[in-house]
Amino acid sequence: MTAAPAENTTTPESAVSGPRLPETMQAVIVHGPENYQLETVAVPRPGPGEALVKVEGVGICASDLKCYHGAPKFWGDANRPAWAETEVIPGHEFVGTIVQLDDEAAQRWGVTVGDRVVAEQIVPCWKCRYCLDGKYWMCQPHDMFGFKRRTPGAMAEYMLFSKDALVHQVSADLPPAHAAFAEPLSCALHAVERADIHFDDVVVVAGCGPIGLGMIAGAKSKNPKLVIGLDMAQDKLDLALECGADLVINIGTDDAVARVKELTDGYGADVYLEGTGHPSAVGQGLNLLRKLGTYVEYSVFGSDVTVDWSIISDDKELDVRGAHLGPHCWPAAIRMIESGRLPMDKICTHQLPLADFQKGLDLVASGKESIKVSLIP
């Protein structure tokens, strides 16, 4: 292998392998809330230790939608820092093929030109106290693909993997939308790990969208006594059964709290995984858990949530845990998708061309016609 170039030098063309590339590409550019535009921009060029990837598919996440609509968590207010910046290319769940990289990048990631790859959504700094302590997913600068200008995302024909990225290979046999699902599935599996599920547990998953279905599949793999899925859409509940739920409850027609207590001799569930992002699901979970139960919150909320905290303390002494991103779960998520265990054709309901990004956002906003919507550049 050739020696890695110094940080302040420009990579010579001979040090980067790959085909000759076009000068420009199509990309979605963020100009502010509800102001995303498809534009022609320059194809990025990889620097030392970086890789250029031709994007094959990029999923649209619920957090993408909240960012698009200007939720304070993403655009910031007086009390919370902004995650999103203008003039950035969005998209943090993706798959692509490496088209250019140098020896340094090839050696670090164990990949070469032509390999099919995904990258974790976080690009750690590897210098802050969290990264140095091995908790890279809580990195203090918290650069994530698609939210910061220095880490452009995947709603484009090409994207860069910086030298700090975490890269994983994925089968070339998977459809692009299926391969890109490794991101939400890894997140769901991390939430399951945070739940510390045991064999005799009754586990309730709120929401049977992309994250919730992944939670159901992950929870089932832990072999608890019972996995229960909650949703208002019968088609999603049917899909939850295919993903491993033992039974499902339609909260539009049934009282989930009463039903779960009926199934548990009046005690309540041992574990509740929240994956809806709807404020009502929080109180629902606190009420249907047994004393000393475990509540895991994964969702990104568009507004503040108010609950009776005495349920957590004086009433039940609950363990309430957050879950963020999908640390250390990407290999397991990729294996699960490649195994064929999940009904991926039914989960990945819509694949649209990049130019139809607005239609994709609208489909996710509706939530009635789709489960996972992806763009195919």
Side-chain angles (χ1 to χ4, degrees):
M1 295 290 180
T2 58
E7 285 285 328
N8 61 353
T9 63
T10 300
T11 307
E13 192 68 27
S14 60
V16 178
S17 61
R20 182 175 294 276
L21 297 167
E23 293 295 321
T24 61
M25 67 177 184
Q26 294 291 291
V28 177
I29 306 294
V30 174
H31 293 291
E34 299 186 0
N35 186 9
Y36 289 20
Q37 302 293 329
L38 185 67
E39 299 179 11
T40 300
V41 299
V43 173
R45 294 296 187 259
E50 297 181 333
L52 182 67
V53 173
K54 183 171 177 55
V55 179
E56 296 179 30
V58 52
I60 300 178
C61 176
S63 62
D64 289 320
L65 184 68
K66 290 181 172 72
C67 183
Y68 173 75
H69 286 302
K73 178 174 182 64
F74 296 96
W75 293 102
D77 59 20
N79 301 310
R80 307 184 75 176
W83 280 21
E85 297 176 350
T86 58
E87 311 307 318
V88 71
I89 299 171
H92 61 276
E93 46 183 74
F94 48 78
V95 64
T97 301
I98 295 176
V99 293
Q100 283 191 352
L101 81 171
D102 61 12
D103 289 339
E104 178 188 348
Q107 185 175 32
R108 181 192 312 112
W109 295 320
V111 297
T112 189
V113 168
D115 282 348
R116 192 59 152 353
V117 290
V118 293
E120 298 193 24
Q121 60 286 82
I122 185 90
V123 183
C125 72
W126 303 114
K127 297 175 183 177
C128 71
R129 64 179 293 180
Y130 302 107
C131 287
L132 293 175
D133 194 37
K135 310 296 192 299
Y136 70 89
W137 66 100
M138 298 306 299
C139 173
Q140 184 71 5
H142 220 75
D143 291 338
M144 296 211 307
F145 285 111
F147 293 97
K148 298 291 183 71
R149 283 188 288 273
R150 58 179 173 259
T151 50
M155 290 189 189
E157 294 179 86
Y158 294 90
M159 69 182 298
L160 283 179
F161 286 180
S162 83
K163 63 182 181 180
D164 293 322
L166 292 154
V167 178
H168 305 275
Q169 290 194 59
V170 64
S171 171
D173 296 330
L174 294 174
H178 296 191
F181 194 72
E183 194 276 345
L185 184 55
S186 71
C187 294
L189 296 185
H190 176 53
V192 169
E193 291 209 325
R194 290 284 287 158
D196 190 24
I197 293 170
H198 298 148
F199 293 128
D200 204 39
D201 284 345
V202 172
V203 180
V204 175
V205 176
C208 297
I211 294 292
L213 293 172
M215 289 174 173
I216 286 169
K220 184 65 174 181
S221 71
K222 297 289 186 178
N223 292 313
K225 179 190 292 184
L226 202 61
V227 177
I228 302 171
L230 309 181
D231 206 287
M232 295 182 70
Q234 191 57 49
D235 58 335
K236 293 181 179 179
L237 292 171
D238 293 340
L239 192 51
L241 293 170
E242 293 190 50
C243 289
D246 297 295
L247 62 91
V248 294
I249 299 171
N250 189 321
I251 62 171
T253 57
D254 295 320
D255 184 334
V257 175
R259 182 80 178 103
V260 169
K261 288 190 175 181
E262 178 185 311
L263 291 164
T264 57
D265 296 325
Y267 289 101
D270 302 280
V271 175
Y272 181 82
L273 293 153
E274 201 290 299
T276 70
H278 195 285
S280 65
V282 180
Q284 172 183 261
L286 298 179
N287 284 304
L288 65 73
L289 278 169
R290 66 166 172 83
K291 294 178 181 181
L292 303 174
T294 299
Y295 180 113
V296 179
E297 182 58 65
Y298 193 88
S299 293
V300 175
F301 291 91
S303 60
D304 292 343
V305 179
T306 301
V307 297
D308 180 359
W309 276 69
S310 62
I311 299 173
I312 298 169
S313 57
D314 193 50
D315 290 359
K316 294 185 177 181
E317 195 176 320
L318 300 176
D319 282 338
V320 179
R321 302 177 182 181
H324 179 57
L325 306 186
H328 309 300
C329 292
W330 283 73
I334 292 168
R335 288 196 304 271
M336 187 176 286
I337 295 169
E338 291 177 343
S339 73
R341 289 172 50 197
L342 296 176
M344 292 304 302
D345 285 333
K346 296 181 181 179
I347 294 173
C348 298
T349 53
H350 292 75
Q351 294 86 52
L352 307 172
L354 188 64
D356 287 346
F357 73 90
Q358 186 64 60
K359 179 180 178 181
L361 288 165
D362 293 343
L363 278 167
V364 176
S366 168
K368 296 178 180 179
E369 303 173 51
S370 67
I371 295 179
K372 172 51 65 179
V373 179
S374 300
L375 302 176
I376 310 296

